[in-house]
Every structure is written in C-alpha cells, then in structure tokens.
Amino acid sequence: RQTVFNRHTRRTKPFWNLPLIHGLGCAGHGVILIYVIPLAYDRGVFTSLASAGIILTIISLVSVISRVVTPIMAEMYGTRRLMAASLSIQAATVLMLFWAQDAWAFYLFAAVFGLGFGGEWTGYLVINRQYYGEGPMGTIYGGQTTGALMGHAVATALAGLVIYATGSFNMVMALSVGFSAVGVLVISLLDDTSHVLIPDWEN
C-alpha cells in the first residue's frame, strides 16, 4: 500500500516542490540563527557573545506562538498563503539587520523574525493532508525534513565560506533574504489545495 501510494505521489509537483521550499526556508533562517549573534557582537552592540544570546531567546519564544497559530490559520485562510507569509516575514525582517546598530533594533528584529521562523515549517503537516488525503505520509514528510536539513547544512557552510572570503556579514544576510524570497516564488507554483491530488490511488 505504501509502495503504491509513494509511486503516485512522485508523479505530483508538490512531492518535489515541498522539500525544495522547506530547504530554502530553513536556509533562510538557518543562516540567521548561526550568524546573528556574531554579527551583533561584531558591531559592538553587545559586550559579549553570551549577552547577544538574548536575540535567539526572543526568536525562540516568539516562534512558539507562531508554531501554534500557523497551522490553525492555514486551515482557515489557506496553507500556501500562510507559508508564503512566513517566508516573506523571514526575508523582510533580515533587511533590518543591514542598518541595526542598537540593542533595541536587534530585539525588534528577533520578535518579528520569530513569527516567520516559527510559522515556516508547521504548515507542511496541513498541506500534506490537503494534497494527499489519508495516505501513508512517512516518505513524504521524511523527504521534506531531509530537504530542510539539507538547506541548513548547505546554507550555513556557504555562509561560512562567504564570511571567510569577504570578511563581511552583508553578503550572508543577502543570502538569507535570497533563499527565503526564492522559497516564496516556488510556493506560488504549488497546486491548489482545494482538492486531493491523487484521490483514487488505492483503486
């Protein structure tokens, strides 16, 4: 049953697009989660890396709210719309870091960025059911999780090389914005979620 289901899902565009979107979204926020603290410290905003850690604390606390709210809102207002909104928030808020020179600016960034960060992945659980109904979801979700972790791995390594080559965080932030923006573009190419894509696969 799982073999037949997976064979049908591989013929649909979301099977391939959703892991790509997840990878791009995680690349977008993964770069920030790794490098926002050294960025803030490098600008002299905080006296130590440990004190700059409050930025990640704020991001994490705010993301708890959006992780709960996003799936609920996705079912009410549309999953693709909420996924695109989350990645758009990620991209837009990173632009704040180009000019942030005070602690309050980093705190404001963390609070708003946390909304997009928390909402980025929780919509996948909803959209999988909308696209594929009640089929066995292990392979689908495993592929999406693999895409997410590949996004983290590639983006953080690439960002490290960029910093090593340029000595600046600006290109790293531009990479983050670019990853999230391309993710929004791919979301716009997804199928409509109003009907199951393979309703008769068991037949």
Side-chain angles (χ1 to χ4, degrees):
R1 185 170 181 266
Q2 186 173 15
T3 300
V4 173
F5 178 75
N6 290 336
R7 186 165 65 243
H8 281 79
T9 59
R10 285 193 293 269
R11 298 171 184 168
T12 65
K13 289 190 298 182
F15 180 86
W16 306 101
N17 287 348
L18 288 172
L20 175 60
I21 295 166
H22 214 347
L24 290 166
C26 286
H29 65 239
V31 169
I32 298 303
L33 296 177
I34 296 294
Y35 292 106
V36 69
I37 291 179
L39 165 64
Y41 177 72
D42 184 67
R43 290 188 181 169
V45 178
F46 297 92
T47 57
S48 68
L49 292 174
S51 62
I54 187 66
I55 298 171
L56 289 185
T57 301
I58 295 172
I59 291 174
S60 299
L61 289 175
V62 173
S63 73
V64 172
I65 300 171
S66 56
R67 288 171 198 264
V68 174
V69 172
T70 298
I72 299 171
M73 295 184 66
E75 291 186 328
M76 295 173 62
Y77 302 109
T79 313
R80 291 185 304 165
R81 186 177 301 172
L82 265 293
M83 292 171 67
S86 295
L87 289 188
S88 297
I89 290 171
Q90 279 193 180
T93 51
V94 171
L95 297 175
M96 298 169 59
L97 294 178
F98 284 95
W99 299 279
Q101 298 291 338
D102 300 292
W104 69 264
F106 280 94
Y107 296 153
L108 177 62
F109 157 78
V112 184
F113 182 83
L115 294 173
F117 165 58
E120 186 273 330
W121 69 272
T122 49
Y124 291 89
L125 301 174
V126 178
I127 204 168
N128 285 339
R129 289 299 181 194
Q130 291 174 332
Y131 280 146
Y132 302 114
E134 299 301 319
M137 295 290 175
T139 301
I140 290 176
Y141 193 65
Q144 292 165 8
T145 304
T146 300
L149 295 178
M150 288 296 293
H152 277 291
V154 171
T156 51
L158 179 61
L161 290 174
V162 168
I163 292 175
Y164 179 78
T166 66
S168 170
F169 288 97
N170 288 338
M171 281 301 298
V172 169
M173 292 184 290
L175 278 175
S176 174
V177 174
F179 285 132
S180 296
V182 174
V184 174
L185 177 62
V186 180
I187 289 172
S188 69
L189 302 177
L190 287 174
D191 295 89
D192 182 56
T193 57
S194 62
H195 59 279
V196 176
L197 296 179
I198 48 173
D200 301 321
W201 67 271
E202 287 190 282
N203 295 334

PDB file of all heavy atoms in Angstrom, residues 2 6 32 51 59 65 68 95 121 134 141 166 199:
ATOM      1  N   GLN A   2       1.880   1.244   0.840  1.00  0.00           N
ATOM      2  CA  GLN A   2       2.781   2.395   0.877  1.00  0.00           C
ATOM      3  C   GLN A   2       3.557   2.541  -0.430  1.00  0.00           C
ATOM      4  O   GLN A   2       3.763   3.654  -0.921  1.00  0.00           O
ATOM      5  CB  GLN A   2       3.756   2.259   2.049  1.00  0.00           C
ATOM      6  CG  GLN A   2       4.625   3.490   2.251  1.00  0.00           C
ATOM      7  CD  GLN A   2       5.456   3.400   3.511  1.00  0.00           C
ATOM      8  OE1 GLN A   2       5.602   2.331   4.088  1.00  0.00           O
ATOM      9  NE2 GLN A   2       6.004   4.523   3.949  1.00  0.00           N
ATOM     10  N   ASN A   6       3.357   5.871  -2.703  1.00  0.00           N
ATOM     11  CA  ASN A   6       4.560   6.653  -2.999  1.00  0.00           C
ATOM     12  C   ASN A   6       4.789   6.775  -4.505  1.00  0.00           C
ATOM     13  O   ASN A   6       5.263   7.805  -4.988  1.00  0.00           O
ATOM     14  CB  ASN A   6       5.780   6.019  -2.338  1.00  0.00           C
ATOM     15  CG  ASN A   6       5.757   6.173  -0.830  1.00  0.00           C
ATOM     16  OD1 ASN A   6       5.112   7.078  -0.309  1.00  0.00           O
ATOM     17  ND2 ASN A   6       6.449   5.295  -0.133  1.00  0.00           N
ATOM     18  N   ILE A  32      20.673  32.936   9.655  1.00  0.00           N
ATOM     19  CA  ILE A  32      20.484  33.953  10.694  1.00  0.00           C
ATOM     20  C   ILE A  32      20.703  33.360  12.082  1.00  0.00           C
ATOM     21  O   ILE A  32      21.368  33.974  12.937  1.00  0.00           O
ATOM     22  CB  ILE A  32      19.074  34.568  10.581  1.00  0.00           C
ATOM     23  CG1 ILE A  32      18.903  35.262   9.231  1.00  0.00           C
ATOM     24  CG2 ILE A  32      18.830  35.551  11.726  1.00  0.00           C
ATOM     25  CD1 ILE A  32      19.931  36.337   8.945  1.00  0.00           C
ATOM     26  N   SER A  51      25.956  37.686  26.009  1.00  0.00           N
ATOM     27  CA  SER A  51      24.897  38.691  26.178  1.00  0.00           C
ATOM     28  C   SER A  51      24.086  38.865  24.906  1.00  0.00           C
ATOM     29  O   SER A  51      22.897  39.189  24.950  1.00  0.00           O
ATOM     30  CB  SER A  51      25.504  40.034  26.607  1.00  0.00           C
ATOM     31  OG  SER A  51      26.395  40.531  25.616  1.00  0.00           O
ATOM     32  N   ILE A  59      13.778  35.137  19.627  1.00  0.00           N
ATOM     33  CA  ILE A  59      13.319  34.444  18.422  1.00  0.00           C
ATOM     34  C   ILE A  59      12.600  33.145  18.793  1.00  0.00           C
ATOM     35  O   ILE A  59      11.515  32.842  18.286  1.00  0.00           O
ATOM     36  CB  ILE A  59      14.502  34.145  17.484  1.00  0.00           C
ATOM     37  CG1 ILE A  59      15.044  35.439  16.876  1.00  0.00           C
ATOM     38  CG2 ILE A  59      14.085  33.180  16.373  1.00  0.00           C
ATOM     39  CD1 ILE A  59      16.308  35.257  16.051  1.00  0.00           C
ATOM     40  N   ILE A  65       4.718  30.853  19.657  1.00  0.00           N
ATOM     41  CA  ILE A  65       3.379  31.364  19.344  1.00  0.00           C
ATOM     42  C   ILE A  65       3.002  31.046  17.904  1.00  0.00           C
ATOM     43  O   ILE A  65       1.926  30.525  17.614  1.00  0.00           O
ATOM     44  CB  ILE A  65       3.322  32.878  19.600  1.00  0.00           C
ATOM     45  CG1 ILE A  65       3.626  33.188  21.069  1.00  0.00           C
ATOM     46  CG2 ILE A  65       1.964  33.445  19.188  1.00  0.00           C
ATOM     47  CD1 ILE A  65       3.796  34.670  21.356  1.00  0.00           C
ATOM     48  N   VAL A  68       2.136  27.436  16.994  1.00  0.00           N
ATOM     49  CA  VAL A  68       0.792  27.021  17.385  1.00  0.00           C
ATOM     50  C   VAL A  68      -0.256  27.640  16.463  1.00  0.00           C
ATOM     51  O   VAL A  68      -1.195  26.966  16.020  1.00  0.00           O
ATOM     52  CB  VAL A  68       0.514  27.422  18.853  1.00  0.00           C
ATOM     53  CG1 VAL A  68      -0.940  27.131  19.212  1.00  0.00           C
ATOM     54  CG2 VAL A  68       1.455  26.686  19.798  1.00  0.00           C
ATOM     55  N   LEU A  95      16.294  42.332   6.345  1.00  0.00           N
ATOM     56  CA  LEU A  95      16.728  43.630   5.824  1.00  0.00           C
ATOM     57  C   LEU A  95      17.007  44.618   6.948  1.00  0.00           C
ATOM     58  O   LEU A  95      17.842  45.518   6.797  1.00  0.00           O
ATOM     59  CB  LEU A  95      15.667  44.197   4.874  1.00  0.00           C
ATOM     60  CG  LEU A  95      15.394  43.384   3.597  1.00  0.00           C
ATOM     61  CD1 LEU A  95      14.244  43.999   2.812  1.00  0.00           C
ATOM     62  CD2 LEU A  95      16.643  43.297   2.736  1.00  0.00           C
ATOM     63  N   TRP A 121       7.643  26.074   9.064  1.00  0.00           N
ATOM     64  CA  TRP A 121       7.535  24.633   8.792  1.00  0.00           C
ATOM     65  C   TRP A 121       6.236  23.989   9.249  1.00  0.00           C
ATOM     66  O   TRP A 121       5.908  22.886   8.803  1.00  0.00           O
ATOM     67  CB  TRP A 121       8.702  23.883   9.441  1.00  0.00           C
ATOM     68  CG  TRP A 121       8.681  23.853  10.936  1.00  0.00           C
ATOM     69  CD1 TRP A 121       9.216  24.774  11.783  1.00  0.00           C
ATOM     70  CD2 TRP A 121       8.088  22.861  11.769  1.00  0.00           C
ATOM     71  NE1 TRP A 121       8.992  24.436  13.084  1.00  0.00           N
ATOM     72  CE2 TRP A 121       8.306  23.253  13.113  1.00  0.00           C
ATOM     73  CE3 TRP A 121       7.397  21.674  11.517  1.00  0.00           C
ATOM     74  CZ2 TRP A 121       7.842  22.506  14.189  1.00  0.00           C
ATOM     75  CZ3 TRP A 121       6.944  20.940  12.599  1.00  0.00           C
ATOM     76  CH2 TRP A 121       7.171  21.354  13.906  1.00  0.00           C
ATOM     77  N   GLU A 134      -5.506  10.738   3.164  1.00  0.00           N
ATOM     78  CA  GLU A 134      -5.199   9.894   4.317  1.00  0.00           C
ATOM     79  C   GLU A 134      -4.161   8.810   4.003  1.00  0.00           C
ATOM     80  O   GLU A 134      -4.080   7.799   4.683  1.00  0.00           O
ATOM     81  CB  GLU A 134      -6.492   9.230   4.817  1.00  0.00           C
ATOM     82  CG  GLU A 134      -7.561  10.210   5.278  1.00  0.00           C
ATOM     83  CD  GLU A 134      -7.064  11.105   6.409  1.00  0.00           C
ATOM     84  OE1 GLU A 134      -6.368  10.594   7.314  1.00  0.00           O
ATOM     85  OE2 GLU A 134      -7.361  12.314   6.377  1.00  0.00           O
ATOM     86  N   TYR A 141       6.820  13.136   4.328  1.00  0.00           N
ATOM     87  CA  TYR A 141       7.323  14.042   5.358  1.00  0.00           C
ATOM     88  C   TYR A 141       8.818  13.842   5.588  1.00  0.00           C
ATOM     89  O   TYR A 141       9.546  14.794   5.879  1.00  0.00           O
ATOM     90  CB  TYR A 141       6.545  13.856   6.662  1.00  0.00           C
ATOM     91  CG  TYR A 141       6.812  14.963   7.656  1.00  0.00           C
ATOM     92  CD1 TYR A 141       6.425  16.267   7.371  1.00  0.00           C
ATOM     93  CD2 TYR A 141       7.469  14.716   8.847  1.00  0.00           C
ATOM     94  CE1 TYR A 141       6.676  17.294   8.261  1.00  0.00           C
ATOM     95  CE2 TYR A 141       7.726  15.736   9.748  1.00  0.00           C
ATOM     96  CZ  TYR A 141       7.327  17.026   9.444  1.00  0.00           C
ATOM     97  OH  TYR A 141       7.594  18.038  10.324  1.00  0.00           O
ATOM     98  N   THR A 166      34.986  37.299   2.294  1.00  0.00           N
ATOM     99  CA  THR A 166      34.716  38.740   2.231  1.00  0.00           C
ATOM    100  C   THR A 166      34.994  39.469   3.541  1.00  0.00           C
ATOM    101  O   THR A 166      35.177  40.685   3.533  1.00  0.00           O
ATOM    102  CB  THR A 166      33.254  38.990   1.837  1.00  0.00           C
ATOM    103  OG1 THR A 166      32.383  38.507   2.878  1.00  0.00           O
ATOM    104  CG2 THR A 166      32.909  38.283   0.525  1.00  0.00           C
ATOM    105  N   PRO A 199      -6.841  11.237  -5.576  1.00  0.00           N
ATOM    106  CA  PRO A 199      -7.943  10.687  -4.779  1.00  0.00           C
ATOM    107  C   PRO A 199      -8.188   9.198  -5.005  1.00  0.00           C
ATOM    108  O   PRO A 199      -8.704   8.513  -4.119  1.00  0.00           O
ATOM    109  CB  PRO A 199      -9.151  11.517  -5.238  1.00  0.00           C
ATOM    110  CG  PRO A 199      -8.791  11.956  -6.623  1.00  0.00           C
ATOM    111  CD  PRO A 199      -7.320  12.190  -6.595  1.00  0.00           C
TER     112      PRO A 199
END
